[in-house]
């Protein structure tokens, strides 16, 4: 920047203003400085900027699976808001191993981010407290454990209840629950909603109908095979997330069981039968989380509501209407 200022005959501060598109720079000065920038092939030193400001011009996003349509939509929405602020987005994949979460997140935080958005996989986040004092942190989809932090999530309990009640209204009384990592707040709440709907209908919940930790084709096929092999087998399945739903419809024989899934995904409406889902809005979650990060940056002392729970709705298609004799 000093080199540009010397060649242009202006101050380094003027060069900075030109680069940052400050409207108070005279047009002829801007044109002259921009010409010198091009001649010298000037680009800003991001590392120097980081040292000077104390943080990078980037927001971190840490999610379990960047390929999962739900988490990909959150990351895309965060990036949209960040771009409006001239900030980059760094996305990392946590996987499904809680033991790896801390190392991955701390590696991201060591970059001195402007803020971090996390969909956690671990069972304890108290270690993050020292980081929250310097880096705005927002949790999405899942609540942190042993940590007070901003969070935006869907009403998982209401969604589990809505899906299960819908199957009950279609005549089903033996309804299986297929889930993933059961310690997560999403699973805990969706299972609670499932059980509440059964109890309200006078149906005794049966643990034999629970199929937890279903996260790949092998475990899904084993779970479906076990459920179909029960003496009093289910006639319907509530799948607790979009990833599980995709695995379930692949493992199920055609038209064998009615299915309702928590979370829509691309082509769910093109399946045969089309999948009934509890609809979420991951884009809204991502936008709200990103805006909260920047709100914390701009107004660090402002008092804000920590937890925001968003409503979910049911999209009825054909998969909930299959009735077995």
């Amino acid at each position: 920047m000093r080199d540009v200022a010397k060649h242009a005959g202006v101050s380094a501060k003027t060069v900075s203003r030109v680069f940052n598109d400050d409207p108070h720079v005279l047009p002829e000065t801007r044109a002259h400085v921009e010409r010198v920038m091009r001649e010298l092939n000037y680009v800003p030193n991001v590392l120097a900027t980081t040292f000077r400001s104390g943080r990078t011009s980037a927001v971190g996003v840490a999610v379990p699976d960047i390929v999962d349509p739900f988490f990909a939509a959150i990351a895309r929405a965060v990036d949209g808001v960040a771009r409006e602020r001239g900030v980059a987005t760094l996305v990392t994949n946590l996987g499904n191993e809680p033991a790896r979460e801390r190392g991955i997140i701390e590696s991201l935080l060591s970059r001195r981010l402007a803020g971090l958005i996390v969909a956690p996989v671990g069972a304890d986040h108290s270690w993050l407290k020292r980081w929250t004092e310097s880096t705005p942190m927002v949790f999405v989809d899942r609540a942190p454990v042993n940590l007070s932090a901003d969070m935006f999530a869907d009403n998982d309990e209401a969604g589990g209840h809505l899906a299960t009640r819908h199957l009950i209204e279609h005549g089903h009384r033996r309804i299986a629950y297929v889930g993933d990592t059961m310690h997560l707040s999403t699973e805990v709440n969706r299972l609670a909603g499932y059980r509440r709907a059964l109890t309200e209908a006078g149906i005794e919940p049966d643990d034999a109908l629970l199929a937890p930790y279903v996260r790949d084709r092998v475990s899904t096929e084993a779970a479906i095979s076990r459920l179909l092999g029960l003496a009093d087998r289910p006639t319907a399945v509530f799948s607790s997330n979009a990833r599980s739903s995709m695995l379930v419809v692949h493992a199920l024989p055609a038209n064998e069981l009615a299915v309702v899934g928590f979370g829509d995904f691309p082509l769910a409406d093109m399946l045969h039968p089309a999948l009934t889902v509890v609809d979420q809005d991951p884009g809204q979650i991502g936008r709200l989380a990103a805006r909260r990060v920047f709100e914390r940056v701009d107004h660090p002392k402002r008092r804000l509501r920590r937890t925001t729970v968003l409503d979910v709705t049911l999209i009825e298609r054909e998969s909930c209407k299959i009735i077995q004799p």
Side-chain angles (χ1 to χ4, degrees), residues 32-207:
H32 175 58
V33 172
E34 287 177 342
R35 183 171 61 254
V36 173
M37 283 181 174
R38 289 192 296 271
E39 290 172 357
L40 298 180
N41 194 28
Y42 168 75
V43 293
N45 187 329
V46 175
L47 187 59
T49 301
T50 299
F51 285 147
R52 188 167 58 252
S53 67
R55 62 180 70 249
T56 60
S57 296
V59 170
V61 179
V63 296
D65 186 355
I66 59 176
V67 178
D68 185 300
F70 178 79
F71 295 117
I74 288 178
R76 186 165 54 247
V78 170
D79 186 58
V81 174
R83 286 187 184 204
E84 294 173 359
R85 296 276 301 224
V87 174
T89 306
L90 304 179
V91 183
T92 192
N93 197 73
L94 293 174
N96 289 303
E97 298 179 36
R100 297 180 63 241
E101 180 182 64
R102 179 169 181 170
I104 294 172
I105 291 179
E106 286 194 327
S107 174
L108 200 56
L109 286 168
S110 67
R111 300 171 184 268
R112 298 291 296 165
L113 300 170
L116 179 66
I117 295 167
V118 187
V121 298
D124 178 38
H125 301 99
S126 58
W127 57 271
L128 274 168
K129 188 178 187 308
R130 68 186 183 94
W131 292 98
T132 60
E133 295 172 359
S134 60
T135 304
M137 199 170 301
V138 180
F139 286 75
V140 292
D141 186 50
R142 306 161 178 187
V145 182
N146 299 324
L147 180 74
S148 177
D150 293 322
M151 185 191 72
F152 294 89
D154 293 306
N155 194 332
D156 295 304
E157 199 276 344
H161 180 271
L162 182 63
T164 309
R165 185 182 65 189
H166 189 70
L167 287 168
I168 292 169
E169 290 171 349
H170 277 79
H172 298 283
R173 296 186 65 81
R174 296 285 291 170
I175 302 170
Y177 177 98
V178 175
D180 192 348
T181 308
M182 302 306 290
H183 72 265
L184 297 175
S185 62
T186 47
E187 292 284 353
V188 170
N189 293 329
R190 291 170 194 178
L191 181 58
Y194 159 86
R195 285 177 166 149
R196 179 164 68 90
L198 293 176
T199 301
E200 289 175 353
I203 302 171
E204 182 70 25
D206 183 354
D207 286 349

